[in-house]
Structures are given as C-alpha cells and as structure tokens.
Amino acid sequence: TSTLQSGEVLPPLELGSECMVGRCVLAGSLLCAGCLVANGAQTREWCRIGEQVIIGRGVTVENLVFRTP
C-alpha cells in the first residue's frame, strides 16, 4: 500500500548546499546543508533531513519524517 493518493503531485526535491546524495531521494523532500544520503540508502516522500545529518548505507527513511542532528 502507499500513503500517496493516486495522482497526487509532489513538489520538487530541495537540496541544501554541499549535500551528497548517493542513492534514491524522492520528490517532496528537503535535504538541508551538508547532509549525506549514502549509497544503498533512500528517503521517501515528505522527509525533512536537517543540516549535517548522515543517512547511512542500507537505511530507508520512511515518508513524513523530520530528522535533525
């Protein structure tokens, strides 16, 4: 099942300065300055990842999550 409604349009992904993304980050999310999404990691829709946060290899951040250091 999905939490997205059929046909729902998400805003574009927002990336802060010096972000490093090695894998899948879905639309509707915000990655703040200096964060890292490692290879083999992913974030779902509507995530807000704070400055200098690292999402390590093999991690999935589900939708509607807010993380700060």
Side-chain angles (χ1 to χ4, degrees), residues 3-55:
T3 58
L4 289 178
Q5 300 300 316
S6 179
E8 182 177 358
V9 177
L10 295 172
L13 171 66
E14 296 179 52
L15 294 175
S17 64
E18 299 183 24
C19 282
M20 292 180 278
V21 178
R23 182 77 167 132
C24 181
V25 180
L26 298 180
S29 293
L30 166 66
L31 280 73
C32 293
C35 67
L36 165 68
V37 179
N39 286 333
Q42 61 182 329
T43 63
R44 296 281 315 263
E45 307 86 357
W46 302 112
C47 292
R48 300 229 180 264
I49 309 300
E51 292 184 6
Q52 305 296 319
V53 171
I54 297 172
I55 307 298

